[in-house]
Amino acid sequence: MKIVKTNAMRLLEKEGIPYTHHTFAVNPEGTSPEDIAAQIGRPLELIFKTLVTVGHSKANYVFCLPILAELDLKKAAKAAGEKNIELIDQKDLLKVAGYERGGTSPIGMRKLYPTFLEKTGLSLSQIIVSAGKRGHQLELSPRDLLAVTQGTAVDLLAETRSIF
């Protein structure tokens, strides 16, 4: 089997940052986070998603948070120093980030955008993010992720409210 090398993997190797490459089968109808965790044999809690946003100033920002968590847009705007922030339109993702939906890595984007990691990620020895291609994941230290993206760890999670 041919080894896939993504921009993210090449950048980590150039910087001498250790990582583990995981692969999973992509279901055309969508692959659930639970399926990904089962296929790569790692706990769901380690898998983080990457969201690309645009601020009121039209600048772009990158946010990494646990895959099942919800980004609090007010906290994201505050972290970015913006009046408000919203997710970019999916049709603009490839142009802005250089990655497609479902394969967006916080590492190796077209430009180095301000990047924010949910601060609870720092309590983990390893986190898993997209490698920049659907079906490929990278496991690395959250501190190494912050170093390679020049990122900041902040509180990004939306509060979950009980209906009872």
Side-chain angles (χ1 to χ4, degrees), residues 51-63 71-89 113-116 154 156:
L51 301 175
V52 182
T53 63
V54 61
H56 182 73
S57 69
K58 304 296 181 215
N60 292 106
Y61 303 92
V62 178
F63 295 91
L71 177 65
D72 183 314
L73 293 173
K74 286 186 182 356
K75 290 178 181 178
K78 183 177 178 187
E82 289 278 358
K83 181 176 167 182
N84 57 45
I85 210 161
E86 60 187 39
L87 295 176
I88 68 166
D89 191 312
Y113 297 110
T115 301
F116 301 90
V154 294
L156 298 171

Side-chain angles (χ1 to χ4, degrees), residues 1-12:
M1 185 169 125
K2 185 174 181 246
I3 300 290
V4 171
K5 286 280 182 176
T6 65
N7 287 344
M9 295 162 96
R10 284 189 281 275
L11 183 58
L12 290 173

Side-chain angles (χ1 to χ4, degrees), residues 29-105:
E29 277 99 53
T31 308
S32 76
E34 293 82 5
D35 287 343
I36 296 169
Q39 286 189 52
I40 66 174
R42 303 296 288 139
L44 183 61
E45 296 75 31
L46 299 184
I47 303 174
F48 279 55
K49 62 185 169 187
T50 303
L51 301 175
V52 182
T53 63
V54 61
H56 182 73
S57 69
K58 304 296 181 215
N60 292 106
Y61 303 92
V62 178
F63 295 91
C64 296
L65 60 157
I67 197 162
L68 295 179
E70 186 180 329
L71 177 65
D72 183 314
L73 293 173
K74 286 186 182 356
K75 290 178 181 178
K78 183 177 178 187
E82 289 278 358
K83 181 176 167 182
N84 57 45
I85 210 161
E86 60 187 39
L87 295 176
I88 68 166
D89 191 312
Q90 292 301 305
K91 69 177 174 42
D92 296 330
L93 187 58
L94 185 60
K95 179 177 68 177
V96 170
Y99 293 122
E100 62 187 356
R101 184 174 185 273
T104 303
S105 179

